[in-house]
Amino acid sequence: MKLPLGFYIDQNTLDIAKNLIGKVLYSNINNTLTSGIITETEAYCGIEDKACHSYGNRKTQRTKVMFLKGGVAYVYICYGLHYLFNVVTQKENIPHAVLIRAIKPLDGIEHIIKRRKKNELYPDICKGPGVMSQGMGITKQLNAQSLIGKTIWIEDNNIKISKIFQSERIGIDYAKEYAKKPWRFFVS
DNA sequence: TTCCCGATTTACT
DNA sequence: GTAAATCGGGAAA
């Protein structure tokens, strides 16, 4: 079952990040269906969070998507060459998001392998936010698109997760005291 | 318009 | 462990 809009706006962002673990991310791009179990996420909590693009209520051409009502995709380019995929959460004008950092491939594995320019499947083929997007075929074209639509969406397929771990977020040393917040969720 | 740097990955040493 | 790849966003000039 596709996650309803309420999933993205009726619970706090940390719970959303945690609850996304074990859900299944789908993309249908140019009639190519791929999916994977979400295994790693990070919460970015808006204007107070120094690691968040919308910190200090910064609203620009890039970050304006985070200010939309939850349930849309926020995709941006990092280091000039990687697409990072986020789920926008909360009501309009509360600019929170959850970064999807890793998946375990499920459907369309041969397409995922091809997009990753590899010859075979291996455990970490979609571990890391940039390579996750590459494997799923996510580009800026998906920016601001609905997560309840036909191109990109998330389902609850009742997959059981043994234990969810929690840690500091990756790659945000500049965020001072917020760099230490345990807002990353993952399975082993 | 200039300048700095990033929610990363990969290939080396 | 270190460095290169690569470029748009955002702040400052």
Side-chain angles (χ1 to χ4, degrees):
Chain A
M1 327 180 324
K2 205 173 278 193
L3 294 181
L5 188 57
F7 180 92
Y8 302 103
I9 57 183
D10 292 339
Q11 50 184 344
N12 75 56
T13 301
L14 292 179
D15 286 336
I16 294 170
K18 185 176 179 182
N19 290 333
L20 280 172
I21 300 291
K23 301 294 189 290
V24 181
L25 175 65
Y26 288 83
S27 68
N28 190 340
I29 294 161
N30 298 329
N31 271 326
T32 299
L33 180 76
T34 49
S35 77
I37 305 168
I38 296 171
T39 56
E40 183 180 345
T41 63
E42 282 179 0
Y44 286 84
C45 298
I47 65 176
E48 310 260 301
D49 181 359
K50 291 180 179 172
C52 187
H53 290 161
S54 58
Y55 171 67
N57 224 25
R58 185 166 47 206
K59 190 172 185 179
T60 64
Q61 193 63 26
R62 177 175 70 155
T63 67
K64 64 181 183 184
V65 177
M66 294 183 80
F67 288 78
L68 298 174
K69 185 164 71 172
V72 298
Y74 170 44
V75 182
Y76 70 94
I77 294 177
C78 185
Y79 289 99
L81 61 168
H82 304 293
Y83 295 106
L84 269 59
F85 171 76
N86 297 254
V87 169
V88 175
T89 66
Q90 304 306 315
K91 299 173 193 162
E92 192 174 358
N93 290 321
I94 301 182
H96 292 203
V98 174
L99 172 68
I100 308 299
R101 294 185 57 88
I103 60 162
K104 180 182 176 203
L106 219 53
D107 297 295
I109 287 177
E110 68 276 19
H111 299 289
I112 292 175
I113 293 170
K114 193 184 296 178
R115 285 174 184 147
R116 291 280 295 113
K117 304 189 197 306
K118 304 293 179 185
N119 297 316
E120 57 190 340
L121 185 65
Y122 61 95
D124 291 346
I125 194 167
C126 288
K127 180 177 165 62
V131 298
M132 188 287 293
S133 294
Q134 189 181 47
M136 291 293 287
I138 292 169
T139 67
K140 272 200 92 167
Q141 286 206 307
L142 294 189
N143 193 35
Q145 283 209 28
S146 170
L147 296 170
I148 325 287
K150 294 184 174 173
T151 307
I152 182 106
W153 68 93
I154 301 175
E155 292 188 17
D156 183 354
N157 291 353
N158 229 358
I159 292 169
K160 295 286 182 265
I161 295 299
S162 53
K163 180 167 171 55
I164 297 176
F165 296 86
Q166 213 172 335
S167 79
E168 296 174 5
R169 293 172 292 179
I170 307 290
I172 52 155
D173 291 343
Y174 58 85
K176 304 196 174 166
E177 74 272 23
Y178 280 84
K180 296 199 165 59
K181 303 276 185 187
W183 291 351
R184 169 176 176 248
F185 301 88
F186 59 100
V187 294
S188 60

